[in-house]
Amino acid sequence: MTASAASAARPLAGVRVLDLSSVIMGPACTQLLADYGAEVVKIEAPEGDVMRHAGAKTEPRMGAMFLHANEGKQSLVLDLKQPADRDHLLRMLPAFDVFIHNIRPQAMRRLGLDEPAIRALHPSVVYVELSGYAEDGPYAGRAAFDDIIQAQTGLAELFARQTGGAPSYVPTLVADRVTGLTAAHATLAALYRRQATGQGDYVQVSMFETLAAFVLADHLGGATFEPPAGPMCYSRLITPHRKPYRTQDGYIAVVVYNDKHWRSFFAAIDAMDVFEADPRFQTAAARADNYDVIYGYLSELLVTRTSAAWLALLEAADIPCCPVNRVEDLLDDPQLQAIGFFDTATQQHGHTLRRVAPRFRAPSAHAAEVAPSPILGPHAVGTFPEST
């Protein structure tokens, strides 16, 4: 299949997205839509998306984090505070299927670009609003950043609860990216409904509520029931021993999880007498009440041999394990190399970019030639086709 044919065959070929989002949350959503074949036109303020300046770069305003969230999109500069540019956006609107933004709702109302105003001009559009907080709560309108959301949802404090130390952040933009993923599948559902009914939709996705649901799916615990049936938090995830295990010469990751794993583990270390004498290891129900004990046992045991010795023994026993990689190790990981996880693209001035292939960001997307991320687009009314 040729690149052009593969592109035309992608699931969202023919869908057009007017993208007013910036930073990571919104662009992560529209990147997936672009991977699936949608035409995404990114509207940028004259200074451009702030993420153009984030991370390493070989060209001005083309930072690494921006590149990985905006591949294959088109860029058009419009200053929406200027009446002429705003009017141009509205003339473009009927040609698009999806209108998406992560601008604060009150600012969109001031601009006359809120959902009722857009709906009046384009009744069948899928209007996607990404925000920090749902509008009917007391936090509505607050600025939201990944660090703030991790702290507010209890995620940062879970690290303190597990380690006995200070709260900490997950060192990746988990709130932004989880919200972007959630928004992408909500947008797909709205497009499916529109195809079936001809009706537009109003999709609202907020960071705080999305990550709160994400965290509480694991940690609502006893508060699932009324009255509570026990404490909150899943004990296996917050035991201080759930971390890479120290060995004689480094660290490895090991998950001795089910009944078969535990029996195989004790057989492999020639300690079946310990297993048979201690019921805390023998069943899932018993282990669930004793994760501190059983993971503590592993912690004390694994430090007695080298990483290589443990990995050989555990792999032979069919127990999940692996070395603890650095992110740098992923570039040469044999699994990723074998499946073509990375591919390359060329920037405007000939610089070669390494990127995650679109088929792995959006797994059902057909392989196709994808344009690199756009330079900051033109700023001249009339440079982009309008609806007729």
Side-chain angles (χ1 to χ4, degrees):
M1 182 181 290
T2 66
S4 59
S7 181
R10 285 187 290 169
L12 293 186
V15 172
R16 303 185 75 198
V17 178
L18 194 54
D19 181 9
L20 278 64
S21 71
S22 61
V23 194
I24 293 296
M25 173 173 59
C29 168
T30 55
Q31 181 63 72
L32 281 169
L33 302 181
D35 289 345
Y36 283 128
E39 178 187 352
V40 179
V41 177
K42 182 180 179 70
I43 304 300
E44 298 189 66
E47 64 273 15
D49 190 327
V50 67
M51 296 310 291
R52 287 184 175 276
H53 307 288
K57 60 183 71 67
T58 56
E59 298 180 18
R61 297 193 293 196
M62 296 295 279
M65 291 188 72
F66 175 84
L67 297 177
H68 294 304
N70 292 283
E71 286 181 6
K73 302 176 186 178
Q74 302 172 56
S75 173
L76 177 66
V77 170
L78 292 175
D79 183 351
L80 297 178
K81 296 178 181 178
Q82 302 302 317
D85 283 12
R86 177 186 167 279
D87 289 347
H88 183 67
L89 179 79
L90 295 177
R91 289 195 299 272
M92 291 169 56
L93 175 66
F96 288 83
D97 304 286
V98 177
F99 180 97
I100 182 169
H101 73 87
N102 62 344
I103 301 168
R104 294 191 203 185
Q106 56 269 49
M108 292 297 279
R109 286 192 286 271
R110 289 196 298 270
L111 290 168
L113 300 175
D114 56 327
E115 194 272 341
I118 295 298
R119 180 76 55 209
L121 296 171
H122 190 354
S124 65
V125 75
V126 173
Y127 187 103
V128 183
E129 179 177 279
L130 306 182
S131 62
Y133 307 91
E135 276 213 90
D136 49 358
Y139 303 159
R142 291 187 185 182
F145 292 87
D146 203 278
D147 297 1
I148 300 299
I149 300 301
Q150 288 195 42
Q152 282 186 313
T153 57
L155 185 57
E157 191 273 338
L158 285 172
F159 285 96
R161 193 175 303 204
Q162 182 191 45
T163 65
S168 185
Y169 299 129
V170 178
T172 190
L173 297 175
V174 62
D176 275 293
R177 297 191 185 281
V178 167
T179 306
L181 285 167
T182 301
H185 75 65
T187 302
L188 292 173
L191 284 168
Y192 182 82
R193 179 177 183 270
R194 190 180 89 145
Q195 184 181 37
T197 67
Q199 298 177 6
D201 216 332
Y202 184 16
V203 176
Q204 296 172 288
V205 182
S206 53
M207 287 179 73
F208 176 62
E209 288 78 8
T210 297
L211 197 67
F214 185 83
V215 171
L216 290 174
D218 290 330
H219 292 293
L220 195 56
T224 300
F225 308 97
E226 186 59 44
M232 293 180 66
C233 295
Y234 178 31
S235 60
R236 191 183 85 80
L237 299 183
I238 63 168
T239 173
H241 301 294
R242 183 187 177 253
K243 59 185 178 181
Y245 291 101
R246 182 184 288 278
T247 65
Q248 278 186 352
D249 58 353
Y251 292 88
I252 62 172
V254 182
V255 179
V256 190
Y257 188 70
N258 58 33
D259 292 353
K260 178 180 180 293
H261 289 154
W262 281 101
R263 184 172 290 275
S264 297
F265 176 77
F266 279 100
I269 63 172
D270 195 24
M272 284 302 295
D273 56 330
V274 175
F275 178 77
E276 291 171 351
D278 194 335
R280 293 175 296 185
F281 291 100
Q282 295 171 9
T283 67
R287 291 191 297 272
D289 292 331
N290 293 281
Y291 281 122
D292 284 349
V293 172
I294 63 175
Y295 282 10
Y297 175 83
L298 289 179
S299 182
E300 293 174 2
L301 185 63
L302 267 66
V303 78
T304 63
R305 306 187 193 189
T306 66
S307 295
W310 277 119
L311 291 171
L313 181 147
L314 294 165
E315 287 173 0
D318 197 26
I319 293 170
C321 62
C322 71
V324 176
N325 281 339
R326 305 173 305 155
V327 291
E328 290 85 353
D329 297 326
L330 297 182
L331 299 180
D332 299 311
D333 183 272
Q335 170 75 14
L336 300 183
Q337 290 287 326
I339 65 174
F341 183 80
F342 296 106
D343 64 12
T344 59
T346 303
Q347 281 185 280
Q348 182 187 26
H349 298 300
H351 298 288
T352 299
L353 308 175
R354 178 188 286 112
R355 62 183 189 173
V356 175
R359 64 186 177 277
F360 298 112
R361 294 192 307 249
S364 70
H366 295 275
E369 187 68 28
V370 176
S373 305
I375 61 171
L376 193 59
H379 182 198
V381 172
T383 55
F384 194 87
E386 300 173 13
S387 175
T388 57

